Amino acid sequence: MTGLAAHRAPHLALPPEDRDLSPRTGWTRAHWEAAADGLLAAVAPYATPGGALYPLPGGRPSWSGPRSDGLEGFARTFLLAAFRVAGARGADPGGLLERYADGLATGTAHLCTAHLCTAHLCTAHLGTAHLGTAHPGGEGPEDWPRITDRSQPLVESASIALGLRLTRPWLWDRLDEGVRERVAAWLLDALTAEPVPSNWELFPVAVGGFLAEAGIEPEAARAAVARGLDRIEPWYTGDGWYSDGAGRAFDYYNGWALHLYPALEAWLSQDAERLTRYGHRLATHLADYAHLFGADGAPLHQGRSLTYRFAAAAPLWLGALTGHTPLDPGTTRRLASGALRHFLDRGAATDCGLLPLGWYGPYDGVLQPYSGPASPYWAAKGFLGLLLPADHEVWTAREESGPAERADVTRAVPGPNWLLQSTAGDGLVRLHNHGSEHLPPPGDPDQDDPHYARLAYSTATGPFPYGVAPDNHFGLVHGSGRMSLRTALEPLGAGDGWAASRHRARSAGEEGEEGEEGEEVDVTSLVLVRGAVEVRIHLVTGAAPGRAVRQTGWAVPDPPAEEERLRSELLPLHGLMKDGALPAAPTAFARRAVSPALAGETTGRAGGDLFLCLARLTADPDAPPLADLVRAAAGPADDGTHLVTVTWWDGEVRRARVGRRAVTVGGLAGNAG
């Protein structure tokens, strides 16, 4: 960990390490069980008297308000309890299910169900004429908020339904009939509430799966399952990746939502046809996904909702659970246990065992407006592996090394148009982003989203937050000093050691910063990588003469942590010169981080201006000087494009042709269509 004190919460009492079974992490199933027990014990004192809400301390309330935040605390910790008890085949010495049974009863205590047909609630169904019309009969202090269109309770209903489904023999089937009626009535609203057009489409799938299995409105429940699965289908880009909605937002929602709910629903329902479809996609996804974890267990730091932390382990377990994974059991457990231990060893749980809003410790830079004090407990999804029995090979096999530990790797990921770059010498993973983006924050269109718009991300660095000069960025510099935005990203392809994209360099901030009248500036970007070295290439077209440009690099702790020796380098090759460093700012990894910067200027020539530089993020103390590793030559070609020739340290040559809307690398072309 860099720049922040590392410690494990004393509240989490873990068993001794087992380095024979788990030579990489020392952790076994017993460690996962103990971690779950500790996290659940830590939240218990904060439950309301009836157990229906968990208004956790710390952090700001979400935009949904304190009552919804309290429901979120119940739902997400209940999901963790469900994994713990279901994984133990009903053994519950801590009385977890009794505690949550009280909450189910209290949270729905004033729900009016008089109009519902409940004679055969457990074996038949509720009257379809009243589907979705349950309503509170009063305003008790612990009443759950209603599930309405695009409301946070719709999100939480999925965790409650999944928890009830997993623990059905020990909880649902033993509840009083009146409690079952009220909980069913509350959940039924999830079948008709309109989701946000994103991974939210899958929350009715989770609810519908439980209700159908329990015989409650089975036709409507199965219809909700089919509808949700149909709605995400257009977002599947192939090669195991989904966009989170109709745009190009690629992130961890692939693993902890877009693969999780369909595959888990198919597995729980024993639907062979669906499991074949979603299982194949999951296995294809995991072939890439395994490369997103550093040798220290850290998941790649990119995308939104990063405060869910070790929920990143969920798809790894899901592959083993459903039998659809390309990973051997020892690698699956190594990656999952590595992620959990990585966070718990670095202060992700407070001294009293709570998960704060942040990455390691508290940090607002990874939060969204929907983040509330209990949001981090979607980390519960990372405990999915507890559903695997103790004698499953994923628990009994000896740990194997992860991909980032075995060898240097460059891997193109076609769906998001990413290039992954990892180095075994320091265990770092870097992602070069040439295809994922996200909408700007509400009410502020003059901002890039730092967790989507940057050129690159890693397992050891985080981007500077909103409102700060961007790291890992290339753009025009306006009069106010603000850099142009990287929006409307067009993927141009990714292949062996390269990735490329094009975007419109839109201005940010004050009026009058668009440059000359009618100016439309495009930036075509290409990265070539080998080992830890990057050659970053940018072609700027449409800019007037004399426009300032800036290239920034990786944001690393200042001063660097002695034990990690992480450093960021940026050297000019063509059209750029050194420009010092950006002002220091915090990241999720350090209270103070800095990024190097280079500067240049456009000429306005017809074919555009080409800018080249070298970049490197490394923690290898024996890494040779960056300037000794690469030679590069660039110049205009006869067809109006630019030819770039890169010679690596061992004499290997890479040639690329860069135009406004297309690039060609070693004979392989990419274009914007």
Side-chain angles (χ1 to χ4, degrees):
M1 180 180 178
T2 54
L4 297 172
H7 70 283
R8 186 182 303 158
H11 193 86
L12 301 177
L14 302 178
E17 294 182 357
D18 184 342
R19 289 289 173 175
D20 292 328
L21 182 62
S22 302
R24 302 289 173 174
T25 68
W27 283 24
T28 65
R29 180 186 176 92
H31 291 82
W32 281 85
E33 291 174 335
D37 291 342
L39 291 171
L40 288 165
V43 300
Y46 299 97
T48 49
L53 305 173
Y54 282 68
L56 300 180
R60 60 182 196 193
S62 75
W63 59 6
S64 297
R67 180 67 65 97
S68 177
D69 292 347
L71 170 64
E72 185 173 65
F74 175 92
R76 299 187 180 197
T77 59
F78 173 50
L79 181 60
L80 177 55
F83 287 143
R84 180 69 176 95
V85 175
R89 304 304 181 260
D92 186 13
L96 293 171
L97 295 191
E98 181 179 357
R99 164 173 144 193
Y100 285 98
D102 290 343
L104 292 166
T106 304
T108 59
H110 298 97
L111 196 70
C112 176
T113 60
H115 61 293
L116 295 173
C117 173
T118 59
H120 303 92
L121 182 63
C122 293
T123 58
H125 55 82
L126 301 174
T128 56
H130 303 289
L131 181 63
T133 59
H135 61 279
E139 287 298 328
E142 298 184 53
D143 283 355
W144 287 351
R146 282 278 309 280
I147 300 170
T148 57
D149 292 348
R150 303 189 178 203
S151 66
Q152 190 65 31
L154 175 59
V155 180
E156 307 316 320
S157 69
S159 293
I160 292 173
L162 184 54
L164 290 171
R165 190 174 189 180
L166 294 173
T167 61
R168 185 181 171 194
W170 312 291
L171 177 57
W172 179 259
D173 291 348
R174 298 180 182 181
L175 289 174
D176 291 340
E177 183 177 355
V179 177
R180 289 199 303 268
E181 292 175 0
R182 299 197 306 271
V183 173
W186 185 81
L187 286 171
L188 278 166
D189 281 344
L191 303 187
T192 54
E194 187 63 28
V196 175
S198 66
N199 67 87
W200 282 46
E201 299 285 1
L202 294 172
F203 302 139
V205 170
V207 176
F210 165 65
L211 293 177
E213 181 182 283
I216 302 166
E217 293 285 6
E219 292 185 9
R222 285 192 288 267
V225 171
R227 182 173 61 249
L229 296 178
D230 287 345
R231 285 184 175 184
I232 70 165
E233 197 63 21
W235 307 334
Y236 184 63
T237 62
D239 301 301
W241 287 87
Y242 291 87
S243 172
D244 188 13
R248 292 194 57 85
F250 296 95
D251 54 26
Y252 283 109
Y253 276 93
N254 270 271
W256 60 46
L258 292 158
H259 282 289
L260 178 68
Y261 292 109
L264 199 55
E265 164 60 28
W267 181 74
L268 289 169
S269 301
Q270 299 182 336
D271 187 322
E273 181 179 352
R274 279 178 174 162
L275 188 56
T276 297
R277 178 193 310 142
Y278 296 117
H280 172 74
R281 292 179 181 182
L282 172 63
T284 304
H285 179 69
L286 289 174
D288 290 330
Y289 194 78
H291 291 267
L292 300 186
F293 296 84
D296 61 356
L300 190 88
H301 192 88
Q302 180 271 342
R304 65 191 177 94
S305 299
L306 290 173
T307 195
Y308 302 158
R309 298 178 174 99
F310 40 84
L316 300 168
W317 296 125
L318 183 66
L321 185 69
T322 62
H324 290 83
T325 179
L327 308 178
D328 60 70
T331 300
T332 295
R333 191 175 79 252
R334 186 270 175 272
L335 294 175
S337 292
L340 177 61
R341 177 162 191 171
H342 179 84
F343 284 104
L344 295 185
D345 280 355
R346 288 163 173 77
T350 65
D351 286 347
C352 61
L354 296 176
L355 297 176
L357 285 163
W359 181 245
Y360 296 137
Y363 176 65
D364 288 349
V366 296
L367 306 184
Q368 283 73 44
Y370 54 76
S371 303
S375 293
Y377 285 86
W378 236 18
K381 293 183 176 185
F383 287 82
L384 181 70
L386 291 179
L387 296 181
L388 292 158
D391 60 356
H392 190 282
E393 59 182 349
V394 82
W395 293 117
T396 61
R398 196 169 189 265
E399 271 187 354
E400 302 292 340
S401 59
E405 300 169 279
R406 299 169 189 165
D408 292 359
V409 174
T410 59
R411 182 182 181 92
V413 184
N417 205 58
W418 286 347
L419 179 66
L420 299 177
Q421 174 194 23
S422 64
T423 43
D426 53 17
L428 297 180
V429 176
R430 310 151 190 85
L431 180 155
H432 299 278
N433 172 37
H434 288 268
S436 180
E437 65 176 346
H438 198 257
L439 296 175
D444 192 358
D446 288 331
Q447 292 272 10
D448 278 332
D449 189 322
H451 288 93
Y452 292 89
R454 300 294 171 260
L455 288 163
Y457 300 91
S458 84
T459 53
T461 63
F464 286 151
Y466 284 115
V468 177
D471 56 288
N472 269 334
H473 186 77
F474 178 89
L476 275 63
V477 182
H478 299 292
S480 65
R482 295 186 68 178
M483 295 181 70
S484 60
L485 306 180
R486 189 178 184 228
T487 58
L489 202 61
E490 296 181 66
L492 298 181
D496 180 21
W498 68 275
S501 61
R502 172 180 173 269
H503 74 275
R504 176 62 51 84
R506 190 172 69 81
S507 69
E510 298 86 347
E511 295 182 3
E513 289 194 348
E514 290 288 350
E516 294 188 358
E517 185 177 354
E519 182 185 43
E520 292 185 352
V521 181
D522 291 329
V523 178
T524 302
S525 299
L526 167 67
V527 63
L528 304 173
V529 307
R530 194 166 185 214
V533 181
E534 314 160 33
V535 180
R536 299 183 179 184
I537 302 164
H538 306 283
L539 176 64
V540 178
T541 56
R547 296 299 303 276
V549 301
R550 180 185 293 148
Q551 168 76 69
T552 59
W554 298 94
V556 296
D558 179 40
E562 182 178 351
E563 70 277 11
E564 294 189 354
R565 299 180 292 272
L566 190 67
R567 64 184 188 274
S568 172
E569 300 169 274
L570 200 61
L571 296 178
L573 289 177
H574 179 86
L576 295 165
M577 64 183 65
K578 290 187 176 181
D579 192 35
L582 296 180
T587 70
F589 293 79
R591 295 184 179 90
R592 173 186 166 90
V594 294
S595 164
L598 304 175
E601 190 174 282
T602 62
T603 65
R605 62 171 56 98
D609 292 291
L610 196 67
F611 301 93
L612 277 71
C613 70
L614 291 179
R616 181 167 63 178
L617 173 71
T618 183
D620 184 353
D622 300 321
L626 183 57
D628 296 344
L629 297 177
V630 181
R631 299 195 314 273
D638 293 339
D639 61 357
T641 64
H642 293 257
L643 184 63
V644 178
T645 302
V646 172
T647 305
W648 302 109
W649 55 89
D650 60 358
E652 181 178 321
V653 176
R654 205 78 196 269
R655 292 183 176 86
R657 193 178 296 270
V658 183
R660 181 178 183 180
R661 297 187 62 83
V663 299
T664 304
V665 180
L668 184 61
N671 59 71

